[in-house]
Amino acid sequence: MFSSRIPDSRTANRLTRAAARHRESLVDLTVSNPTAVGLPPSPTALEGLASPANALHEPDPRGTLPARRAVSRYYSDHGVEAAEDRLVLTASSSEAYSWLFKLLCEPGDSVLVPAPSYPLLDALAGLESVDLARYPLPPEDGWAVQADAIFETADRLRAAGRRLKAVVLVNPNNPTGTSIAEPELERLEERALREGFALVSDEVFLDYRFADRPGDVRIAAARDRALVFSLGGLSKAAALPQLKLGWILANGPDALLAAALERLEWVADAFLSVGAPVQNALPSLLGGRHRAASEIRGRLLENDRRLRAAFPAGGAVGVLPLRAGWTAVLRVPAVVPEEELVVSLVERHGVLVHPGYFFDFPREAFLVLSLLPHPGLFETGVERLRDGIGALGR
Ligand SMILES: Cc1ncc(COP(=O)(O)O)c(C=O)c1O
């Protein structure tokens, strides 16, 4: 009866079941929803949503011009020229991925994504009948993107008869916070153009970069050597995931870019998924984003300091550098399997964190936790985490 695009095993895993049983007493260090951590938007931030213009439906498949102009100003604040006619609005960056997979892929075509990275990409590719393969980010280089690792994976795909249509960069990556450096992107662009695949650069954490390495690329679609799409959205840029607005900034050689935009508009026209209220309010929502983003940055840095104080450098537990994003990564002794560790942290110590395998870390043992929770709660969670890791193997 049902499509095989939806996996058979949709049942809760062991960790989710344990977390549900201990919900009342648990400190949740996986929260990624900025509206649930005591950082409310300013009282004026949402006023623009009450415009009388919301009574009208005047759809533009790419998004209304004033809304796209507001996104264009967002990019000029970041020093990048992003003409309105290279922007397409979506309901979220997840939707942006699905539209780009529709734009680029036949069923069975391949896209490459980094490992470790954000787990939702498997579901998004699967729903478009796209085959997803992973290229490794090398731990020995701090998980930075290396073009050679992408090329090796691409060669293996080709040898297996698969057709590569897109390489996804999560830039900065969630959860490692690392980015692609300019020389690596240049090599990738050259090959993308030659072999006919596109680059999709997920830049939702653009406003949360703390420690770039020299040459790190912030906005891949500032460049036009290959077909490239940069993704962003309100959910992270203005900490407003509930409003459902994301965007795609496209760039590339003229003819290829025009063909891509025309087709993307056709996909967007089939859905018209972005509501009028959020588009009408976008200039004021993006105008108010600085306050929200700066409060979140303060929160992330404060919690990062607490985490490092709990796990000082040189100890058995390593805290990876916070380069960008909303998450911290801990390297912990691989004494028991990650799954056992995270379940026992829930059941015996009352704290929920993600296991590294959830993000496709190449080996055990890593733990991934959110830096968003209220600092008091975060501190309690980290104390429980330290106790739980301390009890390892006992
Ligand atoms: C790297 C990355 N991309 C995309 C998303 C999804 O963002 P959106 O709410 O715009 O769909 C997330 C959500 O956490 C993310 O971490």
Side-chain angles (χ1 to χ4, degrees), residues 98-353:
S98 83
W99 288 6
L100 291 171
F101 294 161
K102 290 182 211 303
L103 170 76
L104 298 164
C105 300
E106 303 294 343
D109 281 349
S110 294
V111 300
L112 278 181
V113 305
S117 196
Y118 176 59
L120 188 67
L121 294 172
D122 295 70
L124 296 175
L127 285 169
E128 301 302 327
S129 302
V130 167
D131 165 67
L132 184 137
R134 291 187 167 75
Y135 61 90
L137 301 178
E140 59 282 5
D141 188 28
W143 315 95
V145 180
Q146 287 183 355
D148 280 337
I150 298 179
F151 298 159
E152 276 164 31
T153 317
D155 290 343
R156 265 205 310 279
L157 281 180
R158 184 175 325 105
R162 322 243 25 160
R163 197 165 62 149
L164 176 64
K165 298 311 295 286
V167 171
V168 172
L169 307 165
V170 182
N171 196 66
N173 189 31
N174 175 6
T176 58
T178 38
S179 297
I180 191 163
E182 208 169 324
E184 300 301 300
L185 180 57
E186 227 169 272
R187 296 179 61 211
L188 199 52
E189 287 165 338
E190 193 240 306
R191 182 133 168 192
L193 195 60
R194 187 155 37 89
E195 295 185 3
F197 61 83
L199 303 177
V200 176
S201 180
D202 177 339
E203 292 158 8
V204 298
F205 289 109
L206 175 61
D207 298 283
Y208 306 91
R209 305 185 71 114
F210 302 105
D212 282 353
R213 310 207 295 189
D216 273 355
V217 173
R218 296 163 77 91
I219 299 167
R223 305 154 62 93
D224 64 2
R225 292 180 51 182
L227 186 60
V228 52
F229 303 96
S230 284
L231 311 187
L234 278 188
S235 71
K236 306 293 185 293
L240 295 169
Q242 72 276 39
L243 297 189
K244 303 307 297 173
L245 188 140
W247 55 79
I248 301 169
L249 171 64
N251 210 349
D254 288 345
L256 200 53
L257 176 64
L261 283 166
E262 235 176 70
R263 287 165 172 78
L264 203 48
E265 175 170 332
W266 192 89
V267 176
D269 198 22
F271 291 90
L272 295 175
S273 55
V274 195
V278 69
Q279 294 195 68
N280 290 333
L282 195 59
S284 71
L285 293 170
L286 281 177
R289 77 190 163 85
H290 298 283
R291 180 180 166 277
S294 118
E295 276 194 59
I296 290 190
R297 282 194 296 268
R299 170 75 62 92
L300 302 170
L301 291 173
E302 182 176 349
N303 282 341
D304 181 59
R305 267 194 304 276
R306 285 166 195 254
L307 187 62
R308 282 171 205 284
F311 298 107
V317 174
V319 183
L320 265 52
L322 175 62
R323 296 207 174 281
W326 292 2
T327 46
V329 180
L330 296 187
R331 192 178 15 77
V332 299
V335 181
V336 296
E338 277 172 1
E339 184 177 48
E340 216 170 287
L341 172 59
V342 290
V343 169
S344 102
L345 286 169
V346 166
E347 291 181 336
R348 297 205 211 145
H349 301 276
V351 59
L352 177 64
V353 295

